[in-house]
Amino acid sequence: MDVDKKPGLFARIKQGLTKTRDNILSAFHSVDEEMFENLEEALILADMGVETTLTLLGTLREQVKARRISDPQEVRFLLADEIAKIMEADVQPFKVTFPAVFLIIGVNGVGKTTTVGKLSKWYKSENKSVLVAAADTFRAAAIDQLAVWCERAGVTMIRQGENSDPAAVIYDGVSAAKARGIDLLICDTAGRLHNKKNLMDELRKIHRIVNTQHEAAHKEVLLVLDATTGQNAIQQAKLFKEAADITGIILTKLDGTTKGGMVVAIKKELDIPVRFITVGEGIDDLQPFDAGMFAQALFEE
């Protein structure tokens, strides 16, 4: 994926991170102990996590001392570089080969259904044929809501009735995708965390169907998290990681949050790469994630 294809990408990410950035940049006045203390507070408030924050500041202190840095702006650039290193460490480029199947997981309320619509539009704009399987069958109106987003994206949806077996919907979706020669099948799955065993069993069943019925397909398990929930999102990621082999994260509602630092914490603590972010509510507001661009947008005035 070419992250430069969409116009104004950096500007949109930068605008989305305004609240997070303003809080962090207020710590940079003069290079002294007070700056480090203020920075520690700002990064923790941005939900970068205590462990990640202390690691970053430890590295920063060493470099400031070794290089005898007295310019706060130089410290800022150093911090941006260190964050980019964390985000890029051991991350392979997101290269999808087709045909492909995306399983979209996440709790209710994080923007999972709208994300499926945005993903559909993104790949359709990349000239890929897309089919959506509505396997979140337990939430009232979830299927109807997804149908609206699919209509906006101009893609077809496979559905069954409310409370039907999600695995059966996935089976129908895989069969239809193969029969029609579809490039990408996107499966919207239910996100219930109150009973982890049920969730694990359901995801295993869905995995089994995809693997056996569409053996040749490239597969991704993408976890949708709400950036505004900060540390709660990280806890969700930990639980889902126990239930599923997550290959990447889609971070929603990055615009307007003071907790943008949680992107760094997720990578540092869970070692799961962020693949997409959303920076608005429109169907075109999904963007591929670029670690260097994110770090720059987090610190550039």
Side-chain angles (χ1 to χ4, degrees), residues 118-261:
K118 291 174 183 182
L119 269 176
S120 301
K121 180 72 188 299
W122 170 269
Y123 279 100
K124 198 179 176 199
S125 71
E126 298 277 299
N127 297 316
K128 301 299 176 191
S129 54
V130 180
L131 181 68
V132 171
D136 184 355
T137 60
F138 296 101
R139 187 164 60 90
I143 300 169
D144 292 336
Q145 184 191 0
L146 185 60
V148 171
W149 279 95
C150 287
E151 193 177 330
R152 283 183 198 165
V155 301
T156 306
M157 185 178 90
I158 300 291
R159 64 188 289 173
Q160 289 189 14
E162 199 175 312
N163 294 321
S164 55
D165 180 6
V169 182
I170 300 293
Y171 185 90
D172 286 353
V174 169
S175 301
K178 285 170 69 179
R180 300 175 196 178
I182 294 290
D183 293 318
L184 175 62
L185 172 66
I186 302 177
C187 306
D188 180 26
T189 67
R192 299 177 313 287
L193 271 181
H194 64 268
N195 188 330
K196 200 165 65 181
K197 186 183 181 301
N198 282 3
L199 176 70
M200 286 172 131
D201 291 345
E202 186 177 299
L203 288 173
R204 279 197 200 103
K205 193 174 175 184
I206 288 170
H207 263 287
R208 204 158 51 241
I209 288 166
V210 172
N211 288 331
T212 56
Q213 299 302 315
H214 209 345
E215 210 174 328
H218 173 107
K219 298 164 191 77
E220 296 283 343
V221 180
L222 300 172
L223 172 64
V224 182
L225 296 173
D226 178 346
T228 64
T229 62
Q231 288 294 314
N232 282 344
I234 295 169
Q235 291 308 311
Q236 285 172 24
K238 285 177 179 172
L239 286 166
F240 271 106
K241 193 179 181 186
E242 291 171 20
D245 183 18
I246 301 165
T247 58
I249 283 169
I250 301 176
L251 204 59
T252 66
K253 308 176 192 177
L254 197 61
D255 54 313
T257 180
T258 58
K259 302 175 188 291

Side-chain angles (χ1 to χ4, degrees), residues 10-11 13-15 17-29 71-77 80 293-301:
F10 177 73
I13 293 173
K14 188 177 173 185
Q15 185 181 358
L17 287 168
T18 298
K19 287 185 179 177
T20 302
R21 183 176 55 256
D22 287 351
N23 285 354
I24 293 172
L25 290 184
S26 64
F28 292 97
H29 289 300
D71 182 358
Q73 187 160 314
E74 200 175 334
V75 179
R76 208 171 78 215
F77 292 147
M293 193 183 286
F294 172 82
Q296 187 183 349
L298 200 56
F299 291 97
E300 187 175 290
E301 288 185 88

